[in-house]
């Protein structure tokens, strides 16, 4: 990762050729009702920041769950960072989540009885990484995200925006090929939401591939370089666009 200062503040992410997500003709049907996903194909390249919009019930969370290997399609294939996610066993799927993707949720999902530093160190511990290397990585991330002064604090003492920064640091610990975020600003006040928006924008400007599900149009416009809209499990709009607000303009 380059330093925050090293970012040139431009709104154009470095998008390269290799697909991080390759979803082909994916359907998800339940016993009753219309399909949650219906013949959906999507390719996301390295360096893209993709926002997924769409009305309630349109299949956004279902799509995210397929990509995270938390659910399986009834048709089609899901390949992420070269891994056929739809074919993984439960154990292999858990390992895939730990090794290849980072996840950020609306309500942070931090462990309140661990310090900020220990929360960030968790994924490395699960990988069995050596402790000093992991501490260096955690310290680098806490510095990058501007929360190193809270390393010894417990999450309950932090603001919502700070907690979400800790969650992002934890998600980035194992250098994921893909950062998934489900309504990352959904539980935040306006100021904290703007902070997290800027953080995701900076991360993408530094090369992190991001997929975020959101109802927050301003998040999609300011952070994403591409937006898709889902309706009834199908993609009805797919547009690449410059960010509305650049890091330089903050
Ligand atoms: N376990 C399930 N069994 C049956 N139907 C389901 C199940 N999970 C989701 N669905 C249906 O699949 C469709 C898509 O749901 P999904 O949760 O992906 O929507 P969403 O776009 O994330 O909505 P929201 O914006 O409200 O979070 C909905 O019609 C939902 O009722
Ligand atoms: Mg949802």
């Amino acid at each position: 990762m380059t330093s925050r200062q090293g970012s040139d503040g431009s709104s154009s992410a470095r998008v390269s050729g290799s697909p991080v997500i390759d979803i082909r003709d994916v359907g998800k049907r339940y016993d009753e009702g219309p399909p949650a996903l219906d013949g959906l194909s999507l390719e996301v390249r390295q360096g893209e920041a993709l926002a997924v919009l769409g009305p309630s019930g349109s299949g956004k969370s279902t799509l995210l769950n397929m990509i995270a290997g938390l659910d399986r399609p009834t048709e089609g294939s899901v390949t992420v960072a070269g891994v056929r996610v739809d074919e993984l066993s439960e154990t292999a799927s858990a390992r895939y989540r730990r090794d290849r993707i980072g996840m950020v949720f609306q309500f942070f999902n931090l462990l309140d009885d661990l310090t900020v530093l220990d929360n960030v160190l968790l994924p490395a511990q699960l990988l069995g990484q050596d402790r000093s290397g992991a501490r260096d990585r955690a310290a680098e991330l806490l510095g990058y995200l501007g929360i190193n002064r809270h390393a010894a604090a417990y999450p309950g003492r932090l603001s919502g925006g700070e907690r979400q920064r800790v969650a992002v640091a934890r998600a980035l610990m194992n250098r994921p090929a893909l950062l998934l975020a489900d309504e990352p600003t959904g539980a935040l006040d306006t100021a904290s939401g703007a902070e997290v928006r800027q953080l995701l924008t900076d991360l993408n400007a530094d090369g992190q591939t991001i997929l975020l599900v959101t109802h927050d149009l301003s998040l999609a416009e300011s952070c994403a370089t591409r937006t898709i809209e889902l309706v009834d499990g199908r993609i009805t709009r797919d547009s690449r666009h410059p960010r509305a607000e650049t890091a330089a303009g903050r």
Side-chain angles (χ1 to χ4, degrees):
M1 177 192 297
T2 57
S3 77
R4 201 165 184 164
Q5 289 73 22
S7 156
D8 63 2
S10 84
S11 64
S12 56
R14 294 179 294 273
V15 177
S16 84
S18 48
V20 173
I21 302 175
D22 189 1
I23 294 175
R24 300 208 181 164
D25 302 318
V26 157
K28 178 66 183 180
R29 283 161 214 284
Y30 295 103
D31 292 341
E32 292 190 4
L37 295 176
D38 189 7
L40 185 147
S41 295
L42 174 69
E43 197 175 283
V44 178
R45 289 176 184 277
Q46 200 178 325
E48 284 193 301
L50 176 72
V52 181
L53 303 175
S56 185
S58 60
K60 303 181 300 294
S61 294
T62 306
L63 175 63
L64 200 87
N65 289 340
M66 300 289 154
I67 294 169
L70 291 166
D71 204 351
R72 269 174 203 270
T74 39
E75 294 140 49
S77 65
V78 178
T79 308
V80 179
V83 176
R84 267 297 292 271
V85 178
D86 56 298
E87 292 182 335
L88 297 175
S89 68
E90 230 168 87
T91 320
S93 170
R95 196 180 314 128
Y96 153 77
R97 274 189 293 285
R98 188 192 62 192
D99 295 351
R100 309 314 306 264
I101 63 177
M103 295 183 79
V104 178
F105 305 92
Q106 181 171 3
F107 296 106
F108 326 125
N109 294 19
L110 298 171
L111 298 178
D112 286 333
D113 50 356
L114 294 184
T115 64
V116 164
L117 179 63
D118 285 336
N119 266 280
V120 175
L121 281 170
L122 261 186
Q125 278 169 355
L126 294 174
L127 263 186
Q129 280 176 359
D130 89 282
R131 196 154 166 87
S132 79
R135 289 184 86 90
D136 288 349
R137 170 77 180 149
E140 177 196 18
L141 282 168
L142 292 174
Y144 176 82
L145 301 181
I147 42 175
N148 41 2
R149 69 185 181 285
H150 299 301
Y154 289 88
R157 286 193 24 221
L158 305 184
S159 73
E162 287 164 346
R163 277 185 235 189
Q164 198 59 299
R165 281 170 183 266
V166 177
V168 171
R170 183 181 58 183
L172 295 176
M173 190 63 194
N174 291 340
R175 304 179 194 274
L178 175 66
L179 180 65
L180 294 174
D182 196 356
E183 295 286 359
T185 60
L188 300 178
D189 60 38
T190 312
S192 297
E195 248 178 66
V196 168
R197 208 158 66 211
Q198 189 62 55
L199 166 60
L200 294 174
T201 304
D202 290 348
L203 279 174
N204 177 248
D206 275 353
Q208 177 68 53
T209 309
I210 298 175
L211 183 147
L212 62 98
V213 167
T214 186
H215 283 107
D216 180 351
L217 257 186
S218 68
L219 175 64
E221 283 170 358
S222 63
C223 169
T225 57
R226 179 181 173 195
T227 301
I228 64 172
E229 187 165 351
L230 292 191
V231 176
D232 297 336
R234 275 176 250 141
I235 296 176
T236 55
R237 186 165 71 91
D238 184 349
S239 58
R240 290 189 170 77
H241 47 81
R243 286 193 245 270
E245 183 187 312
T246 67
R250 94 181 84 153

